[in-house]
Amino acid sequence: MPRYEVLSEAQLLEIDRGWKRILSEIGIQFDHPDALELFRKAGQRVEGDVVFLDPEFVTAMVAQAPSEFTLHGRNPARQMHVGGDWMAFAPVSGAPFSSRRGVRREASFADHVDLCKLCQVFDELDTPASLVCEPNDVPMDSRHLQIQRNVLTLTDKPYMGASISGLATADSIRMAEIVFGSREAIEARPVMFVIVNCNSPLRWDTRMLEAMMTCAAAGQAPMLTPFLLMGAMSPVAIGAALAQQTAEAFSALALCQLIRPGGPVIMGSFLSNTDMQSGSPGFGGPESALGLLCSGQIARRYNIPWRSGGGGLTSSPAVDAQAGYESFNTLNSAFLAGASVVMQSTGWLESGLVASFEKFIMDIEIVKMLQVQYTPIEIDLAFDAHQEVGHGGHFLGAAHTLERFRDCFYRPMLSTTENWDRWTRNGQKDAYTRASDLVDRTLERWERPSIDDGVLLELDEFVARRTTELGD
Amino acid sequence: MPRYEVLSEAQLLEIDRGWKRILSEIGIQFDHPDALELFRKAGQRVEGDVVFLDPEFVTAMVAQAPSEFTLHGRNPARQMHVGGDWMAFAPVSGAPFSSRRGVRREASFADHVDLCKLCQVFDELDTPASLVCEPNDVPMDSRHLQIQRNVLTLTDKPYMGASISGLATADSIRMAEIVFGSREAIEARPVMFVIVNCNSPLRWDTRMLEAMMTCAAAGQAPMLTPFLLMGAMSPVAIGAALAQQTAEAFSALALCQLIRPGGPVIMGSFLSNTDMQSGSPGFGGPESALGLLCSGQIARRYNIPWRSGGGGLTSSPAVDAQAGYESFNTLNSAFLAGASVVMQSTGWLESGLVASFEKFIMDIEIVKMLQVQYTPIEIDLAFDAHQEVGHGGHFLGAAHTLERFRDCFYRPMLSTTENWDRWTRNGQKDAYTRASDLVDRTLERWERPSIDDGVLLELDEFVARRTTELGD
């Protein structure tokens, strides 16, 4: 289906002028000597820790990045195509709290396991990412090892490497080498992406740069993400935010291309607004939607894969009507914008602080709906059915209907069309309660994906050794 | 903002062939001798009560209908522009039940009054329509008089005349003559639209035809609406349903143009699907959305105003997450489709059986959001703000922000961005509970629109006399 384009060519040119001016006149701060050295060698002007980037150099680096690539799952049938006309979906990522059957609490390792299982069961998700919630009961220093082990053993899809530090990213890559056979294997066929957030405005910090450079060097896909809440990390104007987002993402993209020419990269976007009354972030409103639509146009202009912030965003603290319409707004906008990777598609609640199991189910339903909704239509005039039924009759028993009734329409998983009497007999379960039931039933459907015993042993030995080394 | 087009030119041509073939080969049943006579005189082939329409004749009648027109409110500042680039919004219509603060019951006159008041207060609604709910405690035969009196006295916007019978439509028109001064006044400046539903497939029944012809003769705007649930009133194929919808609507449009050449008409659409498992209607899913998007393209092709079925549709029995995402889906699709009149925008619940006060508030919030979302963007690069803040700072105190923070973003009415602690301190009110509170606060804001004492007296005398005549 076609994309929905809201910016005119003149407006796109204006935004182009904007990011070029930011890069060349204000520059980007890179808190890492290796990054500064790489840019210096590439002929860019470096003053202190600020790099002033030549727009022509940046444009050349962007053109050098692949317009599409594939991440390979442990299961060869699970591939994640990134870029081009593909859309891939990832669940909530990074939530410190979990919520299930009305209980909101610090997220735990058990929550992480169950959320990974949901990611494995639902074919709508191309990847579990990895940090579906923070397993707060696992010691911090070695937590990334347990998270990576979970996604590598409970799921068999392409996934996300750790990015809390360069060391954590290196550990992720080492674990991938164990599972996929060798460094050469994953360099030839990348298996993971790594989210790297900009310390917006206009600054990449040491920790993120180490993760980014480690990821790029290994031929995995860095997801270069300016996280912009207009009013806090960017000006309160969508044009300014888009120019800044492009400048920040492209500056990192250029660095990644210097490290590994032609290596896979994903332009990131996470653009919404600050609620200027409460000072809290606002997700799911018009600003989130416009951020998505505009970012898609910019990414297509440069023919590079891009991630949307969401998918599935809401500021609501409850899985209520607000969560329903805000989540739909961002997921639908991600479809209209043609996001290559829709992050935070399922389970995000309370501005991302909570991984909600019920919201996860609700968002899967929305993704299912939208996948049908944005499938190109085929025209069947069914003139014989009209001739058969004539005037004032009905089509329930028409031959055309009987041949097609099983799969002619979208069949909901969560939504109900029950009438009041039947709904009442069935306990007046609202969408939240029905989603709770579906969580339980879905977890029962999970099957452990097979893994070679020797590989599992080596993985566990690595995790044990590194856990000891990291001092937990 | 641009419309979103899902049908190709070839597909539109295919649908054109479809409706022309239905009209010319199967024909439309008209259960009224006057209608048959008008078609016969216009050279159309009539066999029994079936009219076989010449596509060229129909196309000429469609071309004769105005592409846009204005309905005038009792308050001259309240105009409803129909067609062209305008979108007008109307609330739920025809619900037999009401629901408020958790109580679902047969709708009453008191509910009708309160819903009319909400329609008057919210500027997002261009019209209260009229049957915002069924006032079941008013005797059936004279109910339309009380309904018309309510919309004429509790609101001052353009509105909807009664269509339960030709007599009821005639009473509506007489009441409009009293309020607006004369028959000539309302013929010169129409004040109402009248929904006329097709007895699909391919049949217009006596009662609807009398309402339609009475409305058209008085120069008011008939809204000619095929009500198609695929699988029941139309084949289980969107192309077939679109061809049928166009055939049905155009057949009535041709009749209206024969009665009053150049008179205002609105092409209707109410296209969704039957849930083939439950047999219940399904609203708010992909089929509803595609029905809207495609209908918009067809109406634009013929340059005529059209109504969308909804706006605000859901099959959910509760104002829950499902109601949130389904309602958003249909309202958003109505925007993308550029519906001239969005019926059922606010308050529709339980497949239209219930007028929910809380859903009304929720839908107003969605309409507000979408009005901002689909306002063309202006690009402001705010380069000075970037220069001021530099690397790693924040924009909360930037001059650019301080000048704009009050109205730079959408300010929600119902949605919350409160963090957990604050939300908990405020009573953990979900969207439903907050909407209940907003219903009360909104009703307090209602002010009776002024009306001339003499006019009110005449109106009340008419209602009293007709009530007696109608035997209640």
Side-chain angles (χ1 to χ4, degrees):
Chain A
M1 295 276 266
R3 308 307 183 198
Y4 184 66
E5 314 240 299
V6 298
L7 293 172
S8 67
E9 178 63 21
Q11 290 179 315
L12 284 166
L13 280 171
E14 181 93 4
I15 292 165
D16 274 0
R17 272 196 296 277
W19 70 255
K20 289 176 179 174
R21 204 171 163 203
I22 290 172
L23 286 184
S24 56
E25 295 185 28
I26 304 179
I28 305 286
Q29 180 180 335
F30 285 87
D31 295 346
H32 201 292
D34 294 358
L36 298 174
E37 186 56 25
L38 280 162
F39 279 122
R40 199 177 285 117
K41 277 190 185 158
Q44 304 306 296
R45 178 162 61 98
V46 179
E47 293 185 9
D49 46 15
V50 174
V51 182
F52 296 86
L53 289 136
D54 170 15
E56 282 188 33
F57 160 75
V58 173
T59 306
M61 291 293 101
V62 170
Q64 182 182 292
S67 58
E68 50 187 297
F69 59 87
T70 300
L71 296 180
H72 298 268
R74 191 157 72 67
N75 177 342
R78 306 281 205 180
Q79 294 190 334
M80 177 172 160
H81 302 289
V82 180
D85 282 338
W86 299 95
M87 290 182 71
F89 294 86
V92 56
S93 184
F97 298 93
S98 72
S99 179
R100 185 171 173 189
R101 286 223 181 259
V103 179
R104 178 189 186 273
R105 60 176 187 187
E106 286 220 328
S108 66
F109 184 76
D111 290 327
H112 190 268
V113 167
D114 282 347
L115 288 166
C116 282
K117 289 180 177 176
L118 291 183
C119 293
Q120 172 70 2
V121 171
F122 285 120
D123 289 335
E124 286 72 21
L125 294 175
D126 299 271
T127 171
S130 58
L131 192 56
V132 263
C133 68
E134 280 285 353
N136 290 289
D137 46 356
V138 177
M140 182 84 93
D141 286 341
S142 58
R143 190 179 289 171
H144 64 280
L145 301 167
Q146 295 298 332
I147 292 170
Q148 294 290 303
R149 187 186 180 283
N150 270 354
V151 292
L152 280 167
T153 57
L154 302 172
T155 90
D156 57 10
K157 302 181 179 182
Y159 64 103
M160 180 171 98
S163 61
I164 48 159
S165 67
L167 277 183
T169 305
D171 282 339
S172 305
I173 288 166
R174 183 68 200 108
M175 290 172 78
E177 290 168 16
I178 293 170
V179 171
F180 292 88
S182 68
R183 171 84 172 204
E184 292 67 37
I186 65 167
E187 287 198 25
R189 294 157 55 92
V191 300
M192 73 172 77
F193 60 91
V194 173
I195 291 186
V196 192
N197 284 330
C198 187
N199 196 336
S200 304
L202 310 184
R203 176 175 174 234
W204 292 97
D205 70 21
T206 311
R207 220 159 43 101
M208 287 291 116
L209 284 169
E210 287 183 347
M212 184 198 304
M213 293 190 288
T214 306
C215 172
Q220 308 306 298
M223 192 176 255
L224 308 161
T225 308
F227 178 62
L228 301 183
L229 295 175
M230 290 185 280
M233 301 82 138
S234 86
V236 294
I238 185 111
L242 291 166
Q244 178 185 341
Q245 170 179 283
T246 309
E248 291 176 348
F250 280 9
S251 70
L253 188 149
L255 177 60
C256 293
Q257 289 297 314
L258 290 177
I259 292 169
R260 191 180 182 96
V265 286
I266 302 168
M267 176 181 169
S269 165
F270 208 132
L271 177 52
S272 195
N273 64 297
T274 306
D275 181 326
M276 301 307 275
Q277 290 175 281
S278 69
S280 301
F283 293 110
E287 289 77 15
S288 293
L290 291 171
L292 288 164
L293 295 170
C294 297
S295 298
Q297 278 190 263
I298 294 170
R300 276 194 295 285
R301 187 176 183 78
Y302 290 99
N303 202 20
I304 43 172
W306 69 290
R307 71 159 277 195
S308 69
L313 305 190
T314 178
S315 290
S316 179
V319 185
D320 60 359
Q322 179 185 343
Y325 62 71
E326 289 186 337
S327 205
F328 193 96
N329 192 20
T330 43
L331 278 167
N332 185 63
S333 298
F335 270 86
L336 288 174
S340 314
V341 184
V342 186
M343 294 299 292
Q344 315 286 4
S345 302
T346 60
W348 156 298
L349 194 67
E350 210 186 300
S351 295
L353 289 177
V354 172
S356 159
F357 283 76
E358 287 79 9
K359 177 80 166 19
F360 200 110
I361 298 291
M362 183 197 94
D363 291 328
I364 289 281
E365 174 81 313
I366 295 177
V367 171
K368 280 173 174 284
M369 282 170 62
L370 292 172
Q371 285 179 342
V372 172
Q373 194 159 312
Y374 292 108
T375 299
I377 293 171
E378 286 176 29
I379 297 295
D380 165 14
L381 289 177
F383 191 72
D384 53 338
H386 280 303
Q387 283 181 311
E388 178 185 344
V389 172
H391 308 100
H394 68 77
F395 289 83
L396 289 169
H400 181 273
T401 305
L402 293 176
E403 282 162 22
R404 290 166 180 80
F405 76 95
R406 277 179 213 284
D407 51 9
C408 53
F409 302 132
Y410 174 65
R411 294 177 83 136
M413 171 182 76
L414 171 66
S415 303
T416 184
T417 62
E418 286 179 340
N419 65 31
W420 179 264
D421 287 346
R422 190 179 168 87
W423 186 66
T424 299
R425 276 202 307 280
N426 287 338
Q428 294 201 344
K429 290 182 178 176
D430 66 5
Y432 182 84
T433 309
R434 297 196 305 275
S436 287
D437 296 347
L438 280 165
V439 169
D440 299 344
R441 296 215 299 275
T442 306
L443 288 174
E444 284 167 16
R445 282 165 51 205
W446 177 78
E447 291 176 21
R448 182 177 295 277
S450 69
I451 188 166
D452 181 86
D453 285 344
V455 165
L456 188 59
L457 188 68
E458 193 182 343
L459 193 66
D460 285 345
E461 282 171 355
F462 176 81
V463 169
R465 178 169 59 80
R466 284 294 290 149
T467 302
T468 309
E469 289 170 6
L470 291 167
D472 291 320
Chain B
M1 294 277 266
R3 308 308 182 196
Y4 185 67
E5 314 240 300
V6 299
L7 294 172
S8 67
E9 179 63 22
Q11 290 179 314
L12 285 165
L13 280 170
E14 181 94 5
I15 292 165
D16 273 0
R17 272 196 297 277
W19 70 256
K20 289 176 178 174
R21 205 169 162 203
I22 290 172
L23 285 184
S24 56
E25 296 184 30
I26 304 179
I28 305 286
Q29 181 179 335
F30 284 87
D31 295 345
H32 201 292
D34 295 357
L36 298 173
E37 186 57 24
L38 281 163
F39 279 122
R40 200 177 284 116
K41 278 192 185 156
Q44 303 306 296
R45 178 160 63 96
V46 179
E47 292 184 12
D49 47 14
V50 174
V51 182
F52 296 85
L53 289 136
D54 169 15
E56 282 188 34
F57 161 75
V58 173
T59 307
M61 291 293 102
V62 170
Q64 182 181 289
S67 59
E68 49 188 297
F69 58 87
T70 300
L71 296 180
H72 298 268
R74 189 157 76 65
N75 177 342
R78 305 281 204 180
Q79 294 191 336
M80 176 172 160
H81 302 289
V82 180
D85 282 338
W86 298 94
M87 291 182 69
F89 294 86
V92 58
S93 182
F97 298 93
S98 72
S99 179
R100 186 171 171 187
R101 284 219 182 262
V103 179
R104 178 187 186 274
R105 60 177 188 188
E106 286 218 330
S108 67
F109 184 77
D111 289 328
H112 190 268
V113 167
D114 281 347
L115 288 166
C116 283
K117 289 180 178 177
L118 291 183
C119 294
Q120 173 70 2
V121 172
F122 285 119
D123 288 336
E124 286 73 21
L125 294 175
D126 299 271
T127 171
S130 58
L131 193 55
V132 263
C133 67
E134 279 285 353
N136 290 290
D137 47 355
V138 176
M140 182 84 91
D141 287 340
S142 59
R143 190 179 288 172
H144 63 279
L145 301 167
Q146 296 298 333
I147 291 170
Q148 294 290 304
R149 186 186 182 283
N150 271 355
V151 292
L152 280 166
T153 57
L154 302 173
T155 89
D156 56 12
K157 302 181 179 183
Y159 64 104
M160 179 171 98
S163 61
I164 49 159
S165 67
L167 277 183
T169 307
D171 282 340
S172 304
I173 288 167
R174 182 68 199 107
M175 289 171 79
E177 289 167 16
I178 293 168
V179 170
F180 292 88
S182 68
R183 172 84 171 200
E184 292 67 38
I186 65 167
E187 288 198 23
R189 293 157 55 93
V191 301
M192 72 174 78
F193 60 92
V194 174
I195 289 187
V196 193
N197 282 331
C198 187
N199 196 336
S200 304
L202 311 182
R203 176 175 174 235
W204 292 97
D205 70 21
T206 312
R207 219 159 44 101
M208 285 293 116
L209 285 168
E210 286 182 347
M212 187 199 303
M213 294 189 290
T214 306
C215 172
Q220 308 307 298
M223 192 177 258
L224 308 161
T225 308
F227 179 62
L228 301 184
L229 295 175
M230 291 186 279
M233 302 82 140
S234 87
V236 294
I238 186 112
L242 291 166
Q244 178 185 342
Q245 170 179 284
T246 310
E248 291 176 349
F250 280 7
S251 70
L253 187 150
L255 178 61
C256 292
Q257 288 299 314
L258 289 176
I259 293 168
R260 191 179 183 96
V265 286
I266 301 168
M267 174 178 171
S269 165
F270 208 132
L271 177 52
S272 195
N273 65 296
T274 307
D275 181 327
M276 301 307 276
Q277 291 175 280
S278 68
S280 301
F283 293 111
E287 289 77 16
S288 294
L290 290 170
L292 289 163
L293 295 171
C294 296
S295 298
Q297 278 190 263
I298 295 170
R300 274 194 296 285
R301 187 175 182 79
Y302 290 99
N303 202 19
I304 45 173
W306 69 290
R307 71 160 276 195
S308 69
L313 306 190
T314 178
S315 290
S316 179
V319 185
D320 59 359
Q322 179 185 344
Y325 62 71
E326 289 186 335
S327 204
F328 193 95
N329 193 20
T330 43
L331 279 167
N332 185 63
S333 297
F335 271 86
L336 287 174
S340 314
V341 184
V342 186
M343 294 299 292
Q344 315 285 5
S345 302
T346 60
W348 156 297
L349 194 66
E350 210 185 300
S351 295
L353 290 176
V354 172
S356 158
F357 283 76
E358 285 80 8
K359 177 82 165 22
F360 200 111
I361 298 291
M362 185 197 92
D363 291 329
I364 290 280
E365 174 82 313
I366 295 176
V367 172
K368 280 173 175 284
M369 280 170 63
L370 292 172
Q371 286 178 341
V372 172
Q373 195 159 314
Y374 292 108
T375 299
I377 293 171
E378 286 177 29
I379 298 294
D380 166 12
L381 289 178
F383 192 72
D384 52 340
H386 280 302
Q387 283 181 310
E388 178 184 344
V389 172
H391 308 99
H394 68 78
F395 290 83
L396 290 169
H400 181 273
T401 304
L402 293 176
E403 281 162 23
R404 290 166 181 80
F405 76 95
R406 278 179 213 285
D407 52 8
C408 53
F409 303 131
Y410 175 65
R411 293 177 81 135
M413 170 182 76
L414 171 65
S415 303
T416 182
T417 62
E418 286 178 340
N419 64 32
W420 180 264
D421 287 345
R422 191 178 168 88
W423 187 64
T424 299
R425 275 202 309 279
N426 288 338
Q428 294 204 343
K429 291 183 179 177
D430 67 5
Y432 183 84
T433 309
R434 297 196 304 273
S436 287
D437 296 347
L438 280 164
V439 169
D440 299 344
R441 295 215 300 274
T442 306
L443 288 174
E444 284 168 16
R445 282 163 52 204
W446 177 80
E447 291 175 22
R448 182 177 296 279
S450 70
I451 187 166
D452 181 88
D453 286 343
V455 166
L456 187 60
L457 189 67
E458 194 181 345
L459 192 68
D460 284 344
E461 284 171 353
F462 177 81
V463 169
R465 177 167 62 76
R466 283 294 290 150
T467 301
T468 309
E469 288 169 6
L470 292 167
D472 291 319

